[in-house]
Amino acid sequence: MTAGAGPIVRRGAVLGLGAVWWWAAVRLALTPDAGALEGAVAAGGWGLSLLPVHCVAKSRAAGALAAGRWKGAWRGGADARRGAGRARGRC
């Protein structure tokens, strides 16, 4: 596979799976003989939309607390006061 084919394949897969999901959702809504297959496809697609795809690893997250920092904060030790101004949150 060439370097430029990755985004094309990804978009094709997204469009294809989206079309299958819409087919299942419309069939469930309009056809009285829709069955378990359509229900499973529609429920699976909806469930995938609930995944938190915006999450990143803690080590790469902006403003993430270092390991053991909460323990120091609960104890009220110097560790909690030392790192209090370093957190940088982003939306």
Side-chain angles (χ1 to χ4, degrees):
M1 193 177 279
T2 63
I8 295 170
V9 171
R10 195 173 348 172
R11 286 184 185 131
V14 167
L15 287 173
L17 292 172
V20 170
W21 184 85
W22 275 106
W23 165 81
V26 168
R27 188 159 158 80
L28 275 173
L30 300 178
T31 307
D33 65 340
L37 175 64
E38 291 88 351
V41 169
W46 178 78
L48 285 175
S49 71
L50 299 177
L51 286 175
V53 294
H54 60 277
C55 291
V56 296
K58 185 176 179 180
S59 61
R60 293 179 45 206
L65 299 176
R69 173 124 181 259
W70 282 109
K71 195 183 308 180
W74 279 107
R75 289 186 192 144
D79 292 338
R81 290 187 296 274
R82 191 177 332 131
R86 286 190 280 185
R88 295 178 303 255
R90 285 188 350 197
C91 290

